[in-house]
Structure formats: C-alpha cells, structure tokens
Amino acid sequence: MRTLFLILAAVLPVLPVSAQNLPELGDTSGALVSPQMERKIGEQAMREIRFRDPHFVDDPELTDYVNTIGRRIVIASPDARRDFEFFLIRDNSVNAFSLPGGFVGINTGLLLAAQSESELAGVLAHEVAHVTQHHIARLIGKQEQSMIPTIAAMVVGMIVARGSPDLGQALMTMAGASSVQSQLNYSRDFEREADRIGFQFLQQAGFDVGGMATFFERLQKATRLYENNAPAYLRTHPLTVERIADMQNRAQDAAYRQAPDSIEFHLVRGSLRAEEGTPQDAVKEFDEQMRQRRYASEAGARYGLASALLRARNFPRATGEVASLRGLIGPHPMVEMLAARVRTGAGDVQAARELLRAALARNLDYRPLHYAYVEALQNLGQHAAAAAALAELVKNYPRDARLHDMQAKSYAALGKRLLQHQALAEVYFLQGALPAAIEQLQLAQKSGDGDFYQISSVEARLRELRAAQAEETRDAKKR
Ligand SMILES: [Zn+2]
C-alpha cells in the first residue's frame, strides 16, 4: 500500500480534502465509500495490472500458493466471506501492496526475502488489515464518487511508479512539502493500525507471530547496509524503530507458537529462483547449492534444480531430479506438474497428460492440476474432451475466469461460436468489465449456431447483465 499512499499523498492536497474532513480512525465502516465502490476501484486497478503490467505473474501454482496463505489470514479476519485476490508481481524489490476491495499484490522479491512462511504471512496480514480497515476509502473521505477516475489514474501511476521508484518522490516534491506532511502523518496512523490488526489476524491464523518483527528488522538492517538502495518496502512505507518495537512487544506477550513452513513455501521459492538469470546460470547456482548442502530445504533446492534444468532443456537430468524429489517428499501435485512440463518439453504431451490424469485422481481439489490437464488435452487437439472436463469444472468454480477463458478456446476450436462468446462474456463479467461482457452475449445471440436451450440461456444472462448495468448507471446519476 505504501506506493499508493505516497501517490495519494501527492494528489490529495490539490483536492478539497482537509484533515478535518477525514473520518475518525476508529470508524472502520468505510461508509463514505461503499464496499461496492471499493470493489469497483480495486477491479479497475486489477484490469490495468493484469493486462498492462508485463510483470504480472500469470502462473496458477504460484498464485494458488499465495492465495492459500492469504486465505488463511482472511479467514481469521472479520471479512472472512469477502472475495480476496492475492497475486504476484515479478519484481526483485521487496514490496507488497493492497488495493481497495480485497486485492493484494506481492512482489516476487518479497517472497524470496522472507526466510519463513510466517514472515511472508506477517506482511500479508498487514496488507489484509489495510483492506479490512478500509484505509484508502477513509483517506479518500467524502470525495469518493467524482474521484473514481482520479483514483484509477493514481493506481495506474502506482503501477508505473513500481518501475521507477523515484516517481512517487517527484510527485511529492511537486505537491509541496507542507501539505504532504499532514497526509503522511495520517498514513503513519494507518500503518500502525495495519500492524496492530494484522498481528491479530496472524495470531488467529496460527502463524508464528514473531515473524512480522524479524522480517521488518532484517529489512531495517539491510537499509543501514545499503543506504541508497533500501528495500522498496521501507522506502515507500514509513517504518520506524517504534513500529518494530511494538511488533516485538506484541510477539512477546503472545504465547509462542511454532509454525513450520509448508513444503510448498520451499517449492515456490525454488521455482522463482530457477527463473533468475540465464538457464545455465540457474543450473550452476543450484548445482553449487546441492554440492555444498547450502539450502534451507533440500526439496526446495532440488525442485529449483529440476526447474532450471527444464529451462536449460536438459530433459534427461530434469527427469532424474524429479525422480529424486518423489523419493524425498512422496507424490506431490507440484512435483507431478513439473514432471509433466518436463515430458511436454521433451515432446511427449501424451505422457504428460497421463501423469496429470494420475495426479488429479489423488488431488482433485488442486485447481492448477485441472488447468494443466485441460491444457494437455488442448495441446493434443482433444477439444471435445477438454470442453467436457471444463463444463464440469465451471459448475464447481463458476467464478474462475481462467476456466471460462479455456472454455472459450476449446469452443472456438470446435467451431461452437455461441458457446465461445458466452464463455468470453463470463471472463469479462468476472473481471468487472460489464459492457464487454454484454457485447460478447450479443455476439453469442448473433452467432446463429446454438440450440433453443442455449439461446434461451444467453438471453437470460443478457437480461441479468443489462439490469446490473442499468443499476450502475442509476447509481452514477445519483452522484
Ligand atoms: Zn502498510
């Protein structure tokens, strides 16, 4: 949230918002900006990130992992029923941010800098607290309706600023130092509140609550060592000695709780490390680690080595490492998916499909496996089987845009145009792009290749979405 705060701090002074107009810190209702409005702002920003930020990580396994950890924290919060979405940004700087409405971005650099799962969870808990406490909404105060475009612009600015951290600084200078200071003081209160509330979530979720303090402490130390190259988290996020002391005190008062890292924590980190540098460099790095036994988890290092070997297209060695991994941790869906990628790389998509089919039988709840299995079917040109599998899956996960997108692909290959546009409509709908969703349904109507039942279903959905759009227009006019 820090970069966004800096930019908010820079833009707000030109708007008629004074400190007196801002709601009390104790008011967490977010009543001035409705939860629906918050969600809309978040969705709008998400669309920008998803489609315009080349660093957005579109990897189901990595995304599934951060959502599993994030979900544990959300369940411990009062917003347990809200749809949160955690996503990764490929960026080496150690940072995370949250958007209104339940979207939390995590830089891959942060995942790699965290030395334990509880440290990662500590940062996520802080970000979840920003969302549940409606910090942005409270900062925006009464300007909410007319400010939507401004906010969207600021969020886009935030994304740009991620690439050039000095932009936030520049905006601040432009806005004038004195008015910025009062906003910054205000955001420090938010930081303290996010620490305090986040700590409660972390504790209730069963993580080691010392994780927050140790992580921030390590960042602080790194800052002292690299004065001009401080981790982004600190540069954009006011962190004081006082905040660390607060976290340590809270951790001391709480009963110590051991929270061993999940195996996935190590596999995910191995996978991210394997993508650094050239494939040859990555292989060399992991070979070195294995030789010197210089790793926190052998499975993580081996998984990294196998992934690096896959990148280097050394399929025989990668296959050997996958076999060692199976010996080490038994059958694991992430290992089986890696095995399937190695087979696909070696040109045997059929073997990959069989590996995935077998793994699915043991892990029916692991969605990345479903995606990979359907993709294997699609790669083999078995679109009827893919469409059948997807039809079942969307019944279980109707809010999964990726599934609808895959469905559209198979329907297109099968020449089923009504179904293709209908599936695309759901993709847009789930991304909060109502007009585009309606357009797809109209295309579905005009396709002329559906049966009576399918045409009625498109018409019914079109009526629903038009009603939703009319409601939005009505709300907009009330502003
Ligand atoms: Zn924060």
Side-chain angles (χ1 to χ4, degrees):
M1 185 94 90
R2 28 252 148 250
T3 317
L4 182 53
F5 267 133
L6 278 184
I7 292 166
L8 276 172
V11 177
L12 282 178
V14 302
L15 298 161
V17 179
S18 71
Q20 286 79 23
N21 286 341
L22 292 169
E24 287 294 306
L25 256 181
D27 170 25
T28 59
S29 64
L32 294 172
V33 179
S34 70
Q36 290 81 356
M37 189 64 73
E38 284 187 86
R39 185 76 186 176
K40 275 208 94 57
I41 298 169
E43 279 175 347
Q44 206 168 338
M46 255 340 273
R47 278 203 299 278
E48 291 292 333
I49 294 172
R50 205 189 299 277
F51 300 118
R52 293 209 194 151
D53 190 337
H55 303 287
F56 176 76
V57 176
D58 188 28
D59 179 314
E61 285 174 285
L62 299 180
T63 306
D64 185 87
Y65 172 71
V66 289
N67 276 281
T68 302
I69 301 297
R71 192 70 214 148
R72 271 177 69 184
I73 292 157
V74 171
I75 286 172
S77 84
D79 278 15
R81 266 183 292 173
R82 188 205 290 267
D83 248 346
F84 267 77
E85 191 175 330
F86 297 83
F87 58 96
L88 281 164
I89 299 285
R90 198 169 299 284
D91 186 326
N92 283 333
S93 56
V94 180
N95 215 343
F97 59 95
S98 53
L99 303 166
F103 302 91
V104 178
I106 305 135
N107 282 5
T108 49
L110 188 134
L111 230 167
L112 288 173
Q115 309 257 298
S116 75
E117 199 158 52
S118 288
E119 290 188 4
L120 169 68
V123 175
L124 295 192
H126 174 98
E127 296 305 327
V128 168
H130 274 314
V131 175
T132 64
Q133 301 307 106
H134 306 278
H135 282 162
I136 297 236
R138 282 150 74 193
L139 200 59
I140 297 164
K142 287 177 174 151
Q143 312 298 323
E144 88 284 11
Q145 309 280 355
S146 57
M147 265 192 57
I148 298 287
T150 316
I151 295 159
M154 283 189 291
V155 170
V156 174
M158 176 197 74
I159 300 159
V160 177
R162 217 176 36 69
S164 64
D166 290 342
L167 182 68
Q169 201 63 43
L171 282 170
M172 269 178 65
T173 316
M174 278 181 343
S178 63
S179 47
V180 166
Q181 196 50 49
S182 67
Q183 296 292 342
L184 266 186
N185 289 343
Y186 195 66
S187 77
R188 284 213 175 93
D189 288 341
F190 282 152
E191 291 310 324
R192 269 191 284 271
E193 188 177 69
D195 283 344
R196 185 171 54 80
I197 305 279
F199 182 90
Q200 295 167 9
F201 298 164
L202 194 63
Q203 191 168 28
Q204 277 168 47
F207 289 101
D208 169 11
V209 290
M212 237 168 163
T214 48
F215 190 55
F216 287 135
E217 227 180 339
R218 187 143 14 85
L219 286 185
Q220 191 93 323
K221 266 187 204 139
T223 315
R224 262 184 254 125
L225 288 175
Y226 311 102
E227 202 57 60
N228 296 319
N229 199 13
Y233 194 88
L234 297 187
R235 218 170 33 225
T236 56
H237 193 144
L239 182 71
T240 59
V241 176
E242 176 210 322
R243 274 183 63 204
I244 294 183
D246 280 351
M247 283 183 240
Q248 281 166 339
N249 286 340
R250 271 191 289 266
Q252 257 156 30
D253 292 344
Y256 176 68
R257 185 164 193 169
Q258 228 182 351
D261 299 332
S262 69
I263 186 74
E264 291 80 18
F265 175 70
H266 296 293
L267 299 186
V268 160
R269 285 156 54 88
S271 144
L272 286 174
R273 281 249 183 274
E275 284 166 37
E276 287 178 353
T278 67
Q280 285 71 23
D281 286 347
V283 170
K284 225 168 103 186
E285 166 63 25
F286 279 109
D287 271 339
E288 202 62 25
Q289 275 189 30
M290 297 303 299
R291 196 160 33 241
Q292 301 174 8
R293 301 187 159 274
R294 181 167 48 82
Y295 42 68
S297 143
E298 186 184 344
R302 259 188 211 289
Y303 187 87
L305 177 57
S307 306
L309 288 164
L310 169 62
R311 267 187 80 202
R313 302 188 64 77
N314 187 339
F315 305 119
R317 261 200 83 194
T319 306
E321 286 304 326
V322 166
S324 307
L325 264 171
R326 284 191 185 120
L328 204 59
I329 60 171
H332 187 286
M334 282 181 72
V335 174
E336 295 313 304
M337 284 185 68
L338 177 58
R341 282 196 293 277
V342 172
R343 296 268 45 90
T344 303
D348 195 348
V349 185
Q350 215 136 0
R353 186 198 57 195
E354 286 320 301
L355 273 173
L356 293 166
R357 193 208 299 272
L360 257 183
R362 288 190 302 268
N363 305 278
L364 265 177
D365 289 338
Y366 191 58
R367 242 185 288 179
L369 258 180
H370 285 286
Y371 302 142
Y373 177 62
V374 171
E375 257 165 30
L377 292 174
Q378 289 179 330
N379 284 343
L380 288 163
Q382 298 171 354
H383 285 285
L390 287 165
E392 276 307 305
L393 284 169
V394 296
K395 272 189 223 158
N396 291 333
Y397 309 108
R399 297 189 52 77
D400 185 333
R402 183 183 290 270
L403 289 175
H404 293 285
D405 203 31
M406 295 177 97
Q407 232 181 353
K409 187 181 173 186
S410 277
Y411 285 139
L414 292 167
K416 298 189 173 186
R417 295 184 49 231
L418 177 141
L419 292 171
Q420 177 199 347
H421 289 299
Q422 193 179 22
L424 276 179
E426 292 310 309
V427 175
Y428 287 121
F429 171 73
L430 290 167
Q431 288 164 353
L434 213 41
I438 289 172
E439 196 188 322
Q440 287 300 325
L441 287 172
Q442 287 165 337
L443 287 173
Q445 268 185 325
K446 284 183 208 142
S447 67
D449 70 346
D451 60 28
F452 172 76
Y453 174 78
Q454 289 166 337
I455 293 166
S456 318
S457 143
V458 167
E459 279 168 358
R461 189 65 174 142
L462 194 52
R463 272 196 300 277
E464 271 171 28
L465 296 199
R466 277 187 175 137
Q469 198 183 33
E471 201 175 320
E472 261 184 25
T473 316
R474 251 198 320 278
D475 287 349
K477 278 191 186 138
K478 269 190 258 165
R479 285 171 202 169

